[in-house]
């Protein structure tokens, strides 16, 4: 069973994504901030991470760097409310595998994440 970590400070988004991926047979872990996310990753290796860019405490960029230090080959999908120009700057400075602008298309996000996880079997 595939395992993904969902990191977002908005409870509604965590619950929505949890329901979507659980219904697809994916085991989900939830974190509301970077510190929680890193603790979970230290205990359990994930097949992928959905990570919000704006988080309390550590921002998503800092969390991403620490995640990649733990598991350099783990795919990370960034979710961001930045506008398109800011997002391109972030893409160049971060090394996430995919970016989803908020508000995101739920079906596109689900299909993209599942597709990439399947390719990594």
């Amino acid at each position: 069973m595939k395992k993904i970590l969902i990191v977002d400070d908005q409870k509604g988004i965590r619950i929505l994504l949890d329901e979507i991926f659980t219904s697809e047979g994916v085991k989900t872990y939830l974190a509301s901030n970077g510190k929680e996310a890193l603790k979970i990753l230290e205990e359990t290796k994930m097949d992928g991470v959905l990570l919000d860019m704006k988080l309390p405490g550590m921002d998503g960029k800092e969390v991403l760097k620490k995640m990649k230090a733990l598991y350099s080959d783990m795919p990370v999908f960034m979710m961001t409310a930045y506008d398109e120009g800011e997002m391109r700057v972030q893409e160049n400075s971060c090394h996430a595998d995919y970016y989803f602008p908020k508000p995101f298309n739920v079906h596109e996000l689900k299909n993209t994440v599942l597709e990439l996880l399947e390719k990594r079997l």
Side-chain angles (χ1 to χ4, degrees):
M1 177 182 280
K2 292 287 184 186
K3 295 179 285 192
I4 62 168
L5 174 60
I6 299 166
V7 187
D8 199 301
D9 59 330
Q10 295 179 20
K11 185 177 181 180
I13 290 178
R14 289 192 313 269
I15 291 169
L16 172 68
L17 294 174
D18 176 47
E19 289 174 1
I20 288 168
F21 286 103
T22 299
S23 72
E24 294 291 332
V26 176
K27 172 77 173 146
T28 59
Y29 296 77
L30 307 176
S32 62
N33 59 55
K35 187 176 178 182
E36 284 178 23
L38 294 170
K39 185 175 183 335
I40 291 169
L41 279 177
E42 288 171 1
E43 297 168 0
T44 307
K45 184 167 192 306
M46 298 292 155
D47 296 300
V49 176
L50 281 157
L51 176 63
D52 188 21
M53 181 65 79
K54 290 187 178 182
L55 294 169
M58 279 186 274
D59 70 3
K61 194 163 131 178
E62 186 179 348
V63 176
L64 174 63
K65 286 179 186 175
K66 292 180 184 232
M67 286 179 173
K68 289 293 190 173
L70 286 171
Y71 304 108
S72 61
D73 63 336
M74 179 181 62
V76 177
F77 305 90
M78 295 295 290
M79 301 176 291
T80 181
Y82 287 123
D83 70 27
E84 199 169 321
E86 288 178 281
M87 200 164 82
R88 289 197 179 143
V89 169
Q90 293 298 332
E91 286 177 22
N92 291 331
S93 63
C94 295
H95 298 290
D97 297 278
Y98 201 89
Y99 284 81
F100 295 101
K102 284 184 174 180
F104 48 77
N105 178 307
V106 174
H107 299 291
E108 179 186 335
L109 182 143
K110 175 189 78 168
N111 292 336
T112 301
V113 171
L114 292 175
E115 204 173 285
L116 192 68
L117 292 179
E118 282 303 313
K119 286 180 182 178
R120 299 182 64 83
L121 278 176

